[in-house]
Amino acid sequence: MRSYVWRDGWVETIRPAGEFVCAESWRHRFGRANGLGLHVRRFAAHAGEVPDGLWEATVALLGAKEELFPRVGATGGSFRLDIRPAPPPRAVTHLTVANAPDPRRFPLVKGPDLARLAEHRARYLAPGTDDVVLGEYAETTTGALVGWDGDTLVVPTGAHLPSVTQRQVADRARALGVEVVSGRLDEGMPLWFMNSVHGVSPVGRIVRGGVAIDVPQHARASDWAAWWWEGFTTTRLTTQL
């Protein structure tokens, strides 16, 4: 990982990150991104005044020769960029439901809870699973969830981060004439995990109390996953509404 702080431009640093006021991360594929304008807009809503040129300098530094998982964060008066290698895409996601307190303090803002969520995931993750469910299937420690009730897309009612990928999926569903409703999710319906590094990843199995439960699958999951991966374009910084 390479880390930078903003000093009228990105300057490399070896100092560890403090607690984030807010943060954004996404998959950067050889100079291409999916929905970066939405990340820029979400970041601006919580970061305060963002320096002119910060995002342009970020894109320039990332370049077009690697597949990366960058994170831009506001850390109380300063800004930080961590450039990390992108993990391999995950086609299917398996989840843990843990009998544990919800670690989130700021469920509507990405950043302040990152360390707590990482600790929660490390502590409660069941072997063979990828992430831990939060709330009543409101989200996971690293991504959003949606479910399917027949032909209706269900977005969870519980407090959760306004996910960029979840928004993209809901917007596409509406454009296709699919009904989108808010409701409660459970393991009896097809569930999709989603975030800006793995895209749309159907949930295959849920482990609760040491018992593995197979989750029903949606017939069009692979089509939706492919649609998300096809959405990578040369990075543009126009805010997407």
Side-chain angles (χ1 to χ4, degrees):
M1 182 173 77
R2 309 189 307 274
S3 298
Y4 302 81
V5 292
W6 185 262
R7 300 284 186 269
D8 293 325
W10 289 119
V11 178
E12 197 157 5
T13 182
I14 59 173
R15 294 183 61 181
E19 184 171 292
F20 289 107
V21 173
C22 62
E24 292 294 328
S25 55
W26 66 97
R27 184 179 285 269
H28 178 89
R29 306 190 80 194
F30 309 104
R32 300 165 72 86
N34 187 338
L36 181 57
L38 294 173
H39 289 280
V40 171
R41 180 176 180 176
R42 188 173 67 175
F43 186 76
H46 302 286
E49 187 175 353
V50 178
D52 290 340
L54 181 144
W55 287 102
E56 290 81 0
T58 299
V59 169
L61 191 58
L62 295 175
K65 296 182 179 180
E66 299 177 89
E67 188 157 16
L68 302 168
F69 183 36
R71 178 178 63 201
V72 172
T75 58
S78 63
F79 294 88
R80 179 184 179 94
L81 168 64
D82 296 307
I83 301 180
R84 307 164 294 183
R90 193 167 63 230
V92 178
T93 294
H94 305 304
L95 298 175
T96 298
V97 174
N99 183 17
D102 190 332
R104 297 174 299 169
R105 298 182 186 176
F106 304 94
L108 302 182
V109 183
K110 180 170 182 173
D113 288 327
L114 285 176
R116 284 182 287 274
L117 291 172
E119 181 181 354
H120 187 83
R121 179 180 179 276
R123 182 174 181 180
Y124 293 106
L125 190 71
T129 65
D130 304 294
D131 209 342
V132 179
V133 172
L134 302 172
E136 294 292 332
Y137 289 95
E139 60 183 344
T140 74
T141 65
T142 65
L145 294 171
V146 298
W148 287 91
D149 181 6
D151 294 328
T152 299
L153 180 69
V154 184
V155 177
T157 54
H160 62 280
L161 187 74
S163 161
V164 166
T165 314
Q166 186 185 74
R167 172 177 170 170
Q168 291 173 315
V169 166
D171 286 349
R172 182 182 191 235
R174 294 186 185 98
L176 293 174
V178 174
E179 184 180 12
V180 180
V181 301
S182 296
R184 183 167 178 173
L185 310 185
D186 61 58
E187 61 264 28
M189 62 172 60
L191 299 172
W192 291 351
F193 168 94
M194 56 191 63
N195 65 15
S196 293
V197 65
H198 294 293
V200 176
S201 175
V203 176
R205 183 174 66 250
I206 290 172
V207 175
R208 181 199 296 270
V211 177
I213 303 164
D214 289 331
V215 177
Q217 295 302 296
H218 190 280
R220 299 289 304 279
S222 60
D223 295 339
W224 283 73
W227 158 79
W228 187 83
W229 286 104
E230 291 165 359
F232 280 78
T233 60
T234 301
T235 303
R236 296 183 178 89
L237 294 174
T238 54
T239 301
Q240 300 174 16
L241 300 178

